[in-house]
Amino acid sequence: LAALASSRTFAKTFDADGVLRLALFETRLMGADAPPDLVAQRVDAGAAALKALKALRANGGDTVMPTSETGDDETLRDVAEPRLLELCRDILHEYAETETAGKVAVDADDDDAPAALGPPAGLAKASTPLALDALDVVKGLDADTFARHCSWLVPVLSELIVCQSVDVRAAVAAVFATRLPTALAPRDDA
């Protein structure tokens, strides 16, 4: 999982460096006919990590492992769930940022700014299945888990309401329709 996270982070950093990507394109150092990007690496690493964490969360309920931090034993599910939700948060937030970045026009009149590329052209489209998988995880959360994570879930989901993908907007609507009412409902803790 650490290797997948590093791979994803490297690809994201590379794709965000528009000056470097433009220089590589202009010099044809990578031999490309279009500006280079690591979209496939970024999406594939995210998908593999999401798949692994979903499997650990689903199948690791009885498998106990000692932890050095607390000295208590935890199940693989207990270890995987926070990491899975953190990855979902990152995927959904990055997807929303990609959608926003694609809509922002670059000011071509600024002569002091170095020429740079924006996000890779195919990033939003390539990331859509990954965002849908992350939304599926969020939709599948039980009411208590969703309620515990509302502080980051609702803002991220709200950013996605205006995205270009009809499928993503429909998935967000489904999450809001199924999870939000139960998370906001009063609880009897008696």
Side-chain angles (χ1 to χ4, degrees), residues 75-95:
T75 66
L76 285 177
R77 178 185 172 88
D78 295 335
V79 173
E81 186 168 81
R83 291 180 183 183
L84 175 62
L85 293 175
E86 180 180 329
L87 179 60
C88 287
R89 181 194 64 218
D90 292 346
I91 289 168
L92 295 173
H93 182 68
E94 287 173 19
Y95 187 81

Side-chain angles (χ1 to χ4, degrees), residues 1-9 41 44-46 48-50 52:
L1 287 172
L4 291 171
S6 294
S7 175
R8 192 166 174 277
T9 299
Q41 176 178 322
D44 290 349
L50 193 64

Side-chain angles (χ1 to χ4, degrees), residues 18-19 31 35-36 38-39 41 53 55 64-65 72 75 96 98 100 109 120 132-133 138-139 151 161 165 175:
V19 174
L38 296 178
V39 170
Q41 176 178 322
L53 287 168
V64 177
M65 58 182 276
D72 297 329
T75 66
T98 299
T100 303
D109 295 334
L132 289 169
D133 285 347
V138 170
K139 185 179 176 193
S151 63
I161 290 173
S165 170
V175 170

Side-chain angles (χ1 to χ4, degrees), residues 58-158:
N59 303 321
D62 296 332
T63 306
V64 177
M65 58 182 276
T67 60
S68 59
E69 297 167 5
T70 62
D72 297 329
D73 290 344
E74 293 181 295
T75 66
L76 285 177
R77 178 185 172 88
D78 295 335
V79 173
E81 186 168 81
R83 291 180 183 183
L84 175 62
L85 293 175
E86 180 180 329
L87 179 60
C88 287
R89 181 194 64 218
D90 292 346
I91 289 168
L92 295 173
H93 182 68
E94 287 173 19
Y95 187 81
E97 281 182 342
T98 299
E99 284 273 337
T100 303
K103 295 175 190 173
V104 175
V106 176
D107 184 6
D109 295 334
D110 188 1
D111 295 330
D112 295 334
L117 298 171
L123 181 58
K125 184 177 181 180
S127 299
T128 298
L130 185 58
L132 289 169
D133 285 347
L135 285 166
D136 189 49
V137 169
V138 170
K139 185 179 176 193
L141 295 175
D142 61 62
D144 289 336
T145 303
F146 189 92
R148 278 195 317 271
H149 296 280
C150 263
S151 63
W152 68 263
L153 277 168
V154 173
V156 170
L157 293 171
S158 297

